[in-house]
Amino acid sequence: MSFDQQLKTKSYYKTYLEKNDGKHALLVLGEKYVAERQKEVFDLSEIRFAQGEVYYLNKDYEAAIFKWENVFNELLPWAQKNIADAHLQLDFLAIAEEYYKEIQTDSKVLQMEILLQLFLLYVKRGRLLEAKNTIRKALDTDPDYPGVTKRARAFYEKEESWQDALYLAEKEAIRTKSLHWFRVLKTYVEKGLVKDKEPNYFHPILAEVYTVDKECYEQLVVALWTHYKQTKQYLSWLLEMSKLSPNIDPGVEYEWRHLPNLYKETITDITSGDYTVKEISEIVPSLILTWFRIAKGEDAKLAASAVIAWDEMYPFHMDRMGVEKAKNLLLHHSADSTQILYKAVKLFELMVRWAKEKGIVLDSHLTEKMKRQLDLQHYFVLLGGNKSSLLSKWKLNKTSSSLPPIETKKTNNGLILCQMSMLKNNEINILESAGLLEQSLADFAIYIVENETDIDEAMHIRKQVPEINFQFLINNGFKDADLTQKIKIKFSNSSVVSLPQKNNDQWAEIMSSIKLQDLRVEEERATKTLSFLKRFLRFLLDKQKELEDNFLDTIGRNEEIVDNLYEAIRQLNELQNEKIDILKNNYRFIKHEIRENMLKGVSEILRGCADLVSKDSDFEQIHVKLNEEMNRRVNDYVNEDILQVFHLAMDEWIKESERELKDSKSSLDEIRTNFNQMFGKEKVVFDCDLRVLDDWARDVDRICHGNIQLEEANIIMRSGSSQFLIKGAGKVFGSIPQKNKHLIFKKYREFIETKDYSDIAKSITDRFMLQVDLFEKSIQRDVEMFFNNAFNSLEAVLKEVEKDLTEEKQLLYEMSNNPEIYRDPIAMFDFNVRQFHILYGVIEPVHGY
């Protein structure tokens, strides 16, 4: 054990025990101490240092400290460090920290031990920033020191200081070339802890691990690839890989397990039309060539076709040697027709989806029709010419209810598509009228010939769709000796069969006569599908101008709709306010009439109460009885007269309101119909029902049938001089002789009949009108609720159309100023079509981008 190791592990004392194994360490050191002390010139520092170690190891920290405090030779820095360790054990952390910081030494081992102990101390005291700085200083001082990187990683991970952990792993991986640290990096990547790192950060790491271990390199690349594919930095990552890719050696002893498929998926992904050529032009050549170098089997052929296709489209971008190797590989390549067919159909689905996203109007069943190419149990046959001679004899199953009459049609549009079993010649179904797609992809055409005009029409069809294989039937009823010869001249590879006259099993007889033995369905369909894809690409290119025009038309139409919507909302607001005014004014008229009637009626009823006063009245209590009767008569008047008048008036008001709201509903229906005609669908929906009328009727019934009981008013006893006199008169008049009561009777009646009841009538009327006024306040809210759905519907449609309008203008601007947004995806589709053609035959370029 080295001297530094002895000091570090506090085992220096063992140097004194080598020849005294049987004695206790303290006894041996005590004897050494006494012997040294007897010398004329002595130095006890080393023995005291050793004694301190033994005390420390036996947990007698105070004795250890005492011994170490008396060390003065070259062991002093270690003694100070040990004193700090003892205080640390005693949990005197502040004292320990002071001792550690005061130590001065040139020993790297001691420096590292001090730093590690300080790190431990800071962690215990929760001073994490100082702990982080200390462990970082230790790493900078000696990263090879035992345990320092392990402690640092554990600390960073516990504190979730992922940037520090990542930096440590990256630095150690490159420094030590240890697979352990490369695998730690991979773990961090898989946990998503590198999201803040640019892809070029990993360039030196990947370059280094490639030279260390190919399997580890592949695993780390796959982890990073998977991570960056989910981020906006995906293309930056691919650019980084394109720089690293040329260094990948396919000839190494390691067999790549995951990278070939990863390259394949990536090439398919970035050439699917989602990226512009400018975005990927710097990336693709290197990725394709690397894929070609490491791919095996069928994938190697597919990669070779990608190399050649990209080179044809963008010459001088590819390494010439790589292109030649790809061509040599495919020189004697025999393509799998079925695989090509499946790939082509899948690509067509992608193209159709993109076209629809761009607003190109296509047959809604286009993809479904293309998938017929994968049905290898049936032929798809075109029937042309005068089909009536066939259809009148054959019992064909018409499967399409939309199929137009076909008996007499001879023109190109008269072609119909049938489905025929490959196993049973007598099973055939009529599918539909044949458009360009059906004509292009049909396995063959049976054309019924009666004269030379039919041959010319067949020639016209073949000119439009060269892929069609014609089989001719000559109707014996129009037999011409020269027809067969003329057909043979113009259609040298087609068979010519006479239409049978027998009625039994005609179809089987015809099919056995037609040469189908040479028809290789998969190969024919693959060829036709690829040819149609090229034609479809040209169609998409030609659609760009039409699409821009369509956008202009759509923008113009939507701008007009937006103007109309704003105008409709304005009109709707006017209509709502108009109806609110009408209904409120009508109601206010009723309310005014009721108020006037009550003011007048209550006063008359109160005056009429004079008949309650007679000569025999008890004038001491007459004022009380009068007040009670006046209140009763007023309540009866309100419940029996006023409420009846109010109910009748409100019934009429509700009927008039219904007419007004129905008139509004008619106006709304007209607005809705006009907008839905503009949109061509039921986009604007108004739910303006008349439930509010039922609510009003219910409120009126509640008011009129509630047997209103007005709060009893102090009518005859109201404050004022006259009331005071009347109230007091009863007491005075009670003692007046009977012969003078006639005078009192007359005065009482005169007072009641001539009194001004306007104040009390107004007070009673105001109390009654409270609920009438409350109803008035609800009218505006209820009418607004009636119109609310219409406003919400129009505003929602307006918001949607304005959003569409903004997007359309942006798309039009991008199409006009950045044509690559439209053309580049088509270029990528062309790249894929070229691949399939190269695997299967010779490609004809699709120009235009």
Side-chain angles (χ1 to χ4, degrees), residues 372 397-405 417 429-433:
R372 290 174 185 162
N397 299 316
K398 182 178 175 182
T399 62
S400 175
S401 60
S402 61
L403 191 67
L417 182 68
N429 295 313
I430 296 175
L431 296 179
E432 58 196 333
S433 294

Side-chain angles (χ1 to χ4, degrees), residues 672-683:
R672 176 183 56 81
T673 301
N674 290 339
F675 278 113
N676 287 336
Q677 286 175 350
M678 290 182 192
F679 288 114
K681 59 181 179 181
E682 288 293 317
K683 194 176 186 71

Side-chain angles (χ1 to χ4, degrees), residues 197-208 210 217 220-221 224-225 228 232-248 259 263 266 270 279-287 290 293:
K197 296 298 181 183
E198 293 293 330
N200 59 8
Y201 174 84
F202 295 98
H203 188 110
I205 301 169
L206 292 173
E208 191 66 46
Y210 181 79
Y217 168 82
L220 184 55
V221 166
L224 286 166
W225 212 308
Y228 281 116
K232 295 179 180 179
Q233 299 165 306
Y234 184 41
L235 290 181
S236 297
W237 161 252
L238 295 180
L239 179 61
E240 228 23 70
M241 282 308 299
S242 71
K243 296 174 182 177
L244 284 167
S245 292
N247 299 322
I248 296 179
L259 281 186
Y263 275 93
T266 300
I270 64 178
E279 287 176 312
I280 63 174
S281 59
E282 191 178 350
I283 299 170
V284 171
S286 177
L287 294 183
T290 304
R293 288 203 307 272

Side-chain angles (χ1 to χ4, degrees), residues 345 348-349 352 356 363-374 380 432 437:
V345 171
F348 181 73
E349 292 177 14
V352 168
K356 289 181 177 179
D363 182 351
S364 58
H365 301 291
L366 201 57
T367 302
E368 180 184 340
K369 292 176 180 178
M370 175 61 81
K371 285 183 178 179
R372 290 174 185 162
Q373 295 297 89
L374 305 179
F380 291 94
E432 58 196 333
L437 177 64

